[in-house]
Structures are given as structure tokens and as C-alpha cells.
Amino acid sequence: MNFLERYLWKSVLTSILLTWFSLALLDRFFAFLGELGDVSPETQYGNLQAFYYILMGTPKLLYDYFPTATLIGSLLGLGNLAANSELTAMRAAGVSIRQIVMMTLKLGLVLVVLIFVLGEWVAPHTELAASSFKLRMQQKQLAVGNQGIWVKDGNRILNIAKLWSEQKMEGISIYEINPEAGRIDTITHADRAERDANGWMLYDLNRKHIQEDGVTQEVLPQVHEDNLVPEQVLSIAAVKPNQLAASELADFIRHQRDNDLNSSRFEQAFWQHFTTPLSTLVMLIIAAPFVFSFQRNAGAGQRIFIGILIGIVFFLFNRTLGSIGIVYGISPLLSATLPLLMFLFGGLWMLKRIR
């Protein structure tokens, strides 16, 4: 890396990071104000717990905001160089626009790797931990952790290893508590449970009855339960695509396909794990034509406005096309990549017109 490339990287990266954290800070401030509505003296969820919940959700927010921050930050970074005639000096020294763009794209490749790590190994786990923490502090009947989902329903405590959907779950353990005797009466384990019109069917069931004179055990191939899990718990605890890493999404999609179940939402989320980091490169390509077209004529406010406008259009188009794809059965891969490809070709077309 030569001196010129380091200088360009420093200018662009500084602007991207400042924009990134500014957007996140602004969002978290308003999110915290909104979260204060859930604070209650009747629970353990106070102001400090609300702040911690917002803090735990920040990695996912940083991941979602990064493409927009890259666009605005690169417009500001390159724009400052243009305003100070530094880009003009570079071109006068024999550095072409193509070379300047390639230098910024090298930085983009580094950022793509970092943001992929954030979205794959950090954000899903902190998002899950944040949800579990809030539910626990609000003293609700549901907790989510590394050992699955724990549900308290009257005198029963349920542990569900995998809640694949509102119709299917695996690894169910049910503990029946006798509050008068102060002990557990029965412990039931089932390999899986599937929902039908009449309730739940538990398969490969092993039930232990704990009595004062000993423990008896029964093994049953299947047992029907009318109300296995409270309905509101299902809607909260069912697997959400944004709480899964790409590897977990791949396993879930395979499971859905093996059981002839719809997996469009999860396929969409799977491909977005790759298109979101790659959109960083597209934003850098889009920024270049605006900077070189305006050069010294545009101020920082104009560049920020352009960046926000393009970022909003990209976000809305990406979200809208994803929803349309799920409703009308469009390929999730196409729905996830089409906005990226359209903005990429648009950026390359604008870049080609610059002389």
C-alpha cells in the first residue's frame, strides 16, 4: 500500500466510521426513549435495564446501517478531498478515476469481511440475548437461551430445544410441579411435537412419575395434548430470521424443505447475509460518480442529502422487493440480489459517463 492509498483510506474510513456511529447513536437515542414506555415499577425492567436492552441490540443495528453509512461516509470523505482540490491534484499527477475507485474498493473489501463477521457471529447472538433479557426482566413466562426456550405455564415448566415454527418443535421436556408437596411429580421427554387442527401430537415420549415410594416410567410412541404451549408464547418464541446466523438459516431451510414446509422468509434472510455486506462495495461505486461530477461545487450538506436519499431508496426497494417476492413466490435469491445488481449497474453506468 503506497502513501496515496493510505491517505485515501484514512479520509474515507474516518468519514464512514463517524457517519456509522452517528446514525447508530441517533437511532439508539430514540429507541431508548421509546423503550421507556415498557419500563414498569411492577417488574424488574427499569431504566437501567432498558438501556442495557438497547445496548445489546446495537450490533444488529450497526449491521443494518452499515451500507447507508458507507454511502454517506464515502460521499463526505471523497467530497472533502474534492473540495480541497486533492482529487484534482491526484488526477493531474496521473492517477485516473478508475485507480481512485479501485483504491476505495480495496478498502471496501476489508469492510465487507468485517461486516460479515459482525452479521454472522455477533449480531444474531446479541439480538437473541437482548430479547431473552427483556422477557426475563419483565417477569414473563418465557426465556430464551443456549439451552433452548423455557416456558412457565401454571404448574408446568417446558423446555423446547428447537421451536422450528408454530406447527413443529423438537426436544420437548415438560416438568409437572406439585406446589403443595414442593416437588416435581412428572418429567416428560418427547423427541418432537407437531401441531394439527385438534392440538399437539407428541412423538417418542418418555414419562417418569416421581412418587414417595419410587419412580415409575412409561414409554409411548405418541400422545395427544390439547394445549401444549400457550398461543402467545408461540408467536413470541418462534424462530425469527434476523436472530439466526447464515449457517443456522441453512439448517432451518433444509429442515423446512425436508418436511415440505415453506421457507421463503428464511431463504430471503439467508441471502441477505451475503448481499448486505456486498452492498458496501456497491455504495462505494455509487458514491464516486457524484463526487467526481460535482467536484468542488457541492457542499457537505448536499452530499449528505444525496447519500441519505439514495440510502432510503435502496433500503425501501430492498425491503419492498423482498416482501413482494415472498407474497408472489419470486425466487428468494432473485429478490435479495436484484436491488443490489440494479444499483451496481446504475453506479457503473454513471461512473462510465465521467471523463
Side-chain angles (χ1 to χ4, degrees):
M1 182 187 297
N2 56 39
F3 173 79
L4 183 61
E5 192 168 14
R6 285 199 302 271
Y7 183 74
L8 188 67
W9 277 37
K10 180 182 178 181
S11 177
V12 175
L13 183 60
T14 301
S15 297
I16 290 174
L17 292 178
L18 285 174
T19 305
W20 194 28
F21 288 113
S22 297
L23 289 173
L25 188 62
L26 187 64
D27 184 281
R28 293 293 84 184
F29 173 72
F30 286 109
F32 177 71
L33 293 180
E35 199 62 29
L36 293 179
D38 291 337
V39 172
S40 172
E42 299 176 358
T43 66
Q44 299 178 24
Y45 195 67
N47 293 336
L48 186 61
Q49 287 73 27
F51 177 77
Y52 179 75
Y53 170 74
I54 291 297
L55 190 66
M56 288 294 288
T58 301
K60 180 64 170 64
L61 178 88
L62 288 172
Y63 177 76
D64 292 335
Y65 270 154
F66 192 73
T68 302
T70 300
L71 176 60
I72 299 173
S74 57
L75 281 170
L76 289 174
L78 292 173
N80 289 335
L81 295 178
N84 296 326
S85 300
E86 292 173 277
L87 288 183
T88 303
M90 291 180 192
R91 297 182 65 183
V95 181
S96 66
I97 293 177
R98 179 179 175 276
Q99 288 175 306
I100 295 174
V101 173
M102 290 305 296
M103 290 179 193
T104 59
L105 288 180
K106 287 180 184 178
L107 171 63
L109 288 173
V110 176
L111 296 176
V112 164
V113 174
L114 294 177
I115 203 65
F116 181 78
V117 171
L118 177 65
E120 180 67 13
W121 287 285
V122 181
H125 300 293
T126 55
E127 185 81 358
L128 185 63
S131 300
S132 179
F133 172 78
K134 183 176 180 179
L135 289 167
R136 189 168 65 252
M137 290 298 101
Q138 290 181 322
Q139 300 172 354
K140 292 189 176 180
Q141 64 208 82
L142 173 68
V144 184
N146 294 330
Q147 296 179 334
I149 299 163
W150 290 89
V151 182
K152 186 178 186 304
D153 182 25
N155 292 331
R156 298 192 309 164
I157 296 177
L158 289 80
N159 175 242
I160 305 167
K162 288 286 185 181
L163 181 55
W164 291 111
S165 66
E166 296 182 15
Q167 283 75 39
K168 183 178 177 62
M169 46 192 172
E170 292 180 356
I172 304 100
S173 299
I174 305 171
Y175 303 88
E176 297 275 357
I177 300 173
N178 186 336
E180 296 179 358
R183 59 180 173 83
I184 296 175
D185 273 352
T186 62
I187 301 175
T188 304
H189 296 284
D191 285 350
R192 72 182 195 280
E194 296 180 0
R195 191 180 190 181
D196 55 29
N198 300 317
W200 289 89
M201 187 65 72
L202 282 73
Y203 296 92
D204 300 324
L205 185 136
N206 186 312
R207 179 173 290 156
K208 296 177 182 177
H209 299 273
I210 303 173
Q211 301 169 342
E212 294 183 358
D213 56 348
V215 178
T216 59
Q217 179 174 309
E218 59 178 333
V219 178
L220 301 170
Q222 60 185 47
V223 171
H224 186 269
E225 287 274 352
D226 291 331
N227 298 301
L228 181 61
V229 182
E231 192 66 32
Q232 67 272 22
V233 170
L234 286 175
S235 60
I236 296 173
V239 175
K240 298 176 178 61
N242 64 345
Q243 294 178 340
L244 297 176
S247 56
E248 295 172 319
L249 284 167
D251 291 338
F252 185 85
I253 291 167
R254 192 180 303 112
H255 170 271
Q256 293 292 90
R257 287 177 176 174
D258 291 343
N259 291 275
D260 296 324
L261 298 173
N262 186 279
S263 62
S264 298
R265 287 191 306 121
F266 296 90
E267 290 182 56
Q268 184 85 18
F270 173 80
W271 291 115
Q272 284 177 347
H273 270 271
F274 302 97
T275 57
T276 298
L278 288 175
S279 62
T280 300
L281 297 176
V282 176
M283 295 300 109
L284 289 172
I285 292 173
I286 290 174
F290 288 98
V291 172
F292 287 109
S293 295
F294 293 142
Q295 288 286 349
R296 299 174 60 182
N297 298 326
Q302 188 174 351
R303 293 189 183 96
I304 292 174
F305 175 75
I306 292 170
I308 293 174
L309 186 63
I310 296 174
I312 291 174
V313 171
F314 178 78
F315 175 82
L316 292 177
F317 186 50
N318 193 31
R319 182 67 61 88
T320 303
L321 190 60
S323 301
I324 291 174
I326 292 173
V327 172
Y328 292 100
I330 302 173
S331 167
L333 175 59
L334 179 62
S335 300
T337 57
L338 186 58
L340 188 70
L341 294 174
M342 290 180 66
F343 275 72
L344 173 62
F345 290 133
L348 292 174
W349 177 77
M350 290 189 295
L351 198 58
K352 190 176 180 180
R353 291 172 57 89
I354 298 175
R355 295 290 181 266

